[in-house]
Amino acid sequence: MIPVGVGRSLMTSYRALADHEIRARKQRKMLCRHEIGKKTLLIRWLLGIRF
């Protein structure tokens, strides 16, 4: 059997890793949106991006 304190610390570390992955995905999505915003109007029109 695993002691309660050890199990709790493992679950806490797994949760921290999962939260970090979720935040990293959100940041990548936001960076992509900013890159699209930098495009010129012609390129955005050709790509079919609404603005």
Side-chain angles (χ1 to χ4, degrees):
M1 291 181 88
I2 299 173
V4 174
V6 173
R8 186 174 294 154
S9 64
L10 285 174
M11 293 304 292
T12 303
S13 63
Y14 284 137
R15 182 177 180 174
L17 288 172
D19 288 342
H20 179 72
E21 283 188 31
I22 291 169
R23 274 187 257 121
R25 287 181 188 163
K26 288 181 182 178
Q27 285 179 341
R28 278 188 229 124
K29 284 183 183 179
M30 291 185 70
L31 287 176
C32 290
R33 289 182 187 154
H34 288 296
E35 288 177 6
I36 290 171
K38 293 178 184 178
K39 306 284 187 205
T40 62
L41 290 176
L42 178 62
I43 293 173
R44 289 167 69 184
W45 180 74
L46 289 173
L47 291 173
I49 300 171
R50 292 183 181 177
F51 49 93

